[in-house]
């Protein structure tokens, strides 16, 4: 089919031959088996067998492979696809962070924001936050291009970012190192392997996968430069939240709806934000929408910061990025 009938090939494997081989180059090395007693089933056949999507008995007849072998191949190949494509996904994000924000090995910026709601019936102070409003928290991780990658929606506003993170699915995956991040690798100028990490602010715990700024005001130059660099990267999630709130009118005033409906609204706007950032970039997002820096390192505020009526609380200036922005030219 690959050689003579491209349409049937696509119908059978749900992708073109070029796409199949591109994916095979990624997962193939892990599917290769060592020759022992007889010739092993090739990585390409293992991959095609898994993608065919038929019943295991039908696959067994079509590929002339034992039923038990088919079951084992599918399990191994699915695990390999999950591991390889997830790692490839994180590596691409890390490349973008290094290119755009000079933050090597960073795979995302993390923060939590309060979506203001009208007090729910008989909810008491459960959703009452430190800002004096009732809210549901959107905890999110974003890439270097202002797009959400992982979200956790629905935490009650009375909890702190750190507490929400600890009890959220995102937090549990990060703390247990189950996000399937790439293995540590050395930077170009150093031989020692360095972990891939997420940048966050002081509300989140320091760990092998979370990087936060040094605390204190009177820091040595090296630490101040580190804080400046880290906070440039962390500013991406602030801008992502700000763009979301400024583009969707539902966030301009407290949302009047049930908890279930509010969560669904947040989910929908997050998905729409990502879609429009990808396919309608020039109409949905312009460079002036987000924070920028001029040639002297001075911060130029994004348009969303000027909209004072946004009800996505918590999007505020970070002291490190402003204190040290004017010293950038001399210190870097």
């Amino acid at each position: 089919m690959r050689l003579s009938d491209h349409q049937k090939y696509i119908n059978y494997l749900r992708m073109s031959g070029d796409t199949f081989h591109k994916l095979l180059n990624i997962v193939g090395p892990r599917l290769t088996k060592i020759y022992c007693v007889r010739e092993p089933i090739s990585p390409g056949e293992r991959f095609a067998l898994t993608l065919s999507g038929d019943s295991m008995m039908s696959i067994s007849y079509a590929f002339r492979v034992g039923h038990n072998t088919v079951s084992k191949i599918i399990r191994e190949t699915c695990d390999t696809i999950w591991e390889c494509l997830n790692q490839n996904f994180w590596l691409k994000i890390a490349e973008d962070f290094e290119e755009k924000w000079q933050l090597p090995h960073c795979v995302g910026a993390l923060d939590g924001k309060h979506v203001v709601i009208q007090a729910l019936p008989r909810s008491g102070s459960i959703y009452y936050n430190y800002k004096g409003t009732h809210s549901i928290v959107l905890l999110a991780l974003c890439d270097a291009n202002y797009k959400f990658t992982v979200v956790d929606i629905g935490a009650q506003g009375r909890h702190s970012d750190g507490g929400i993170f600890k009890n959220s699915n995102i937090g549990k995956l990060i703390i247990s190192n189950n996000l399937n991040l790439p293995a540590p690798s050395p930077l170009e100028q150093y031989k020692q392997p360095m972990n891939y990490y997420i940048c966050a602010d002081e509300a989140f715990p320091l760990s092998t996968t979370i990087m936060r700024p040094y605390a204190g005001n009177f820091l040595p130059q090296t630490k101040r430069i580190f804080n400046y660099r880290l906070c440039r990267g962390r500013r991406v999630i602030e801008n992502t939240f700000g763009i979301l709130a400024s583009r969707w009118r539902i966030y301009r005033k407290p949302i009047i709806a049930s908890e279930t409906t509010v969560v669904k609204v947040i989910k929908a706007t997050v998905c729409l934000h990502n879609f429009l950032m990808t396919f309608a970039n020039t109409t949905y997002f312009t460079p002036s929408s987000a924070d920028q820096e001029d040639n002297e390192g001075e911060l130029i505020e994004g348009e969303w910061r000027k909209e004072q009526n946004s009800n996505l609380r918590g999007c505020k200036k970070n002291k490190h990025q402003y204190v040290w922005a004017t010293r950038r030219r001399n210190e870097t």
Side-chain angles (χ1 to χ4, degrees), residues 94-163:
E95 289 175 5
D96 289 343
F97 263 101
E98 183 167 9
E99 179 183 348
K100 293 189 174 185
W101 306 108
Q102 295 76 55
L103 209 56
H105 281 212
C106 179
V107 294
L110 177 69
D111 206 356
K113 297 303 173 189
H114 294 266
V115 178
V116 180
I117 62 173
Q118 180 174 281
L120 299 174
R122 296 179 295 280
S123 63
S125 61
I126 293 176
Y127 295 93
Y128 192 76
N129 61 45
Y130 70 99
K131 293 278 190 179
T133 61
H134 294 262
S135 63
I136 284 177
V137 177
L138 165 61
L139 182 68
L141 191 67
C142 76
D143 63 15
N145 300 304
Y146 309 112
K147 289 189 281 189
F148 295 102
T149 54
V150 185
V151 296
D152 188 284
I153 306 167
Q156 299 157 346
R158 67 171 180 163
H159 299 294
S160 65
D161 283 351

Side-chain angles (χ1 to χ4, degrees), residues 84-99:
C84 290
L85 294 189
N86 254 347
Q87 289 188 357
N88 197 59
F89 166 77
W90 292 122
L91 286 170
K92 178 62 173 67
I93 293 176
E95 289 175 5
D96 289 343
F97 263 101
E98 183 167 9
E99 179 183 348

Side-chain angles (χ1 to χ4, degrees), residues 44-77:
E45 191 171 356
R46 288 171 178 270
F47 193 38
L49 180 153
T50 303
L51 294 176
S52 60
D54 210 336
S55 69
M56 291 190 187
M57 190 59 71
S58 297
I59 294 172
S60 174
Y61 292 138
F63 286 82
R64 301 185 68 181
V65 177
H67 180 269
N68 290 338
T69 304
V70 169
S71 176
K72 184 178 179 181
I73 287 174
I74 289 175
R75 288 199 306 270
E76 290 179 350
T77 306

Side-chain angles (χ1 to χ4, degrees), residues 279-312:
F279 298 105
N281 208 7
T282 55
T283 56
Y284 182 78
F285 171 81
T286 59
S288 61
S289 300
D291 295 336
Q292 302 176 73
E293 290 180 351
D294 61 21
N295 294 333
E296 302 298 322
E298 293 283 354
L299 188 70
I300 303 173
E301 292 187 343
E303 292 174 353
W304 67 268
R305 292 192 186 272
K306 302 171 185 176
E307 297 187 11
Q308 300 298 323
N309 58 342
S310 169
N311 280 285
L312 199 64

